[in-house]
Amino acid sequence: MSDTNDRLVQLEIDVLAENDKQAAKNRQYFEENSILALNLVSSPGSGKTTLLCETINKLKSSLNLAVIEGDQQTLNDAERIRSTGCRAIQVNTGEGCHLDASMIDGACRQLKPQPHSVLFIENVGNLVCPAAFDLGEDCKVAVLSITEGEDKPIKYPYMFQASRLMILNKIDLLPYLNFDINKCVEYAKRVNPDIEVIQLSATSSEGMQQWCDWISNRFKQINKK
Amino acid sequence: MSDTNDRLVQLEIDVLAENDKQAAKNRQYFEENSILALNLVSSPGSGKTTLLCETINKLKSSLNLAVIEGDQQTLNDAERIRSTGCRAIQVNTGEGCHLDASMIDGACRQLKPQPHSVLFIENVGNLVCPAAFDLGEDCKVAVLSITEGEDKPIKYPYMFQASRLMILNKIDLLPYLNFDINKCVEYAKRVNPDIEVIQLSATSSEGMQQWCDWISNRFKQINKK
């Protein structure tokens, strides 16, 4: 077993090193074209696609937008995004548990996001594996539904360490749950003191303006460089 | 990249083959000792630990119970289980995204579940990777919180193909959500026609009796062999 484990660790390093090389190329491409690429990561069912649809509806008159959708199977999410009028491409990972940088490269070649645009990447629903894979994005945004419990940042610390922003989604359900927002934020800051936090509900719209402002500000910073 | 991919596929086969060997040994150990091992799999935050605590409270007077808790980090869940009076051991996987058969072997050597008992294994919260890893369990039980959306069985089909039972948890929240139970069951049966389904709420207790009866029946079948 230990020989296999040694080879596994070595190969994991190889795979991550190759991924990082492609991620660096993606990052250069995004920077040269002033594309703000946001990598949305979460558990399955945190509400990323609904959040994206609502975000697109609020921002599409002021910003150029495009979406890369990652899922093990189905084209459902890309179709939901396209129904907002936004361009989207679906990447099916099959048995794979995360998007990698070469998938993003391939998707961008087809999708051709416009210069000076925002590219949302919705990763496979998985709070573990996507943490290790740099896609060349500006930053990761961790979406946590408050139905999942406030302990997730300390139980899955790598994802919250890797993210610049934590979105607490579905806060319209707060009256029906035992969820301690302060404790959740404290846990997130314990694993990542710099993490920013936005509370919102994509269905009730509460907090959506703050999130859209966050995107617009981040987009301005990218375009200042 | 393709050379690395070839090696990766080969190594994945090696790792799964080694895992399957240990899983066969675990299965033999469970069968020889009439231990019903149930592998609970789900996304993070589906409510597995709360479900287990309530299940233990209902079953502990009639069955011998023990729990193996899997998480990337923290000992919280094993402590929650122990507060019910049930014996539990925590396995921290670190950066790992699933439990494997050798972890279960190691945990059983310490935990020493009693003959003629039920062993609950709470896997790492991840709807993708644990599907591929046989732990030697009697069966996998997929727990899906209805807050996650009804499309999860077709978006993460491997997990629902690998499970004998799907528990739809948190049905007390049904009045506050857009969740179509019939559609969810149809999706689950589409990827696994034999899958059984139980709807319940671990917090309101609705459906808990059906789940406890399911466990007791499965335990009787094991002990008949």
Side-chain angles (χ1 to χ4, degrees), chain A residues 62-180:
Chain A
S62 57
L63 288 171
N64 276 321
L65 307 170
V67 176
I68 297 173
E69 279 291 335
D71 266 309
Q72 280 202 298
Q73 285 197 14
T74 82
L75 304 176
N76 299 0
D77 285 355
E79 285 163 12
R80 283 174 66 193
I81 297 292
R82 282 191 208 108
S83 72
T84 66
C86 181
R87 288 187 317 127
I89 190 166
Q90 183 87 41
V91 178
N92 280 152
T93 60
E95 294 197 23
C97 54
H98 59 270
L99 293 173
D100 67 27
S102 66
M103 294 175 193
I104 299 305
D105 175 47
C108 283
R109 285 173 198 274
Q110 281 192 61
L111 184 65
K112 296 186 178 59
Q114 296 186 310
H116 302 282
S117 67
V118 178
L119 175 66
F120 296 105
I121 302 167
E122 183 179 335
N123 219 310
V124 178
N126 181 340
L127 214 42
V128 181
C129 312
F133 284 80
D134 183 10
L135 305 181
E137 73 270 5
D138 176 63
C139 65
K140 290 184 174 68
V141 175
V143 181
L144 179 63
S145 160
I146 64 165
T147 59
E148 296 174 44
E150 63 268 323
D151 57 352
K152 295 303 162 291
I154 50 170
K155 288 174 78 176
Y156 302 88
Y158 301 99
M159 191 59 94
F160 294 86
Q161 277 164 9
S163 297
R164 177 186 292 268
L165 172 68
M166 173 173 76
I167 289 182
L168 290 177
N169 193 16
K170 308 196 190 178
I171 56 163
D172 55 299
L173 294 175
L174 201 52
Y176 316 112
L177 303 168
N178 288 318
F179 184 90
D180 186 331

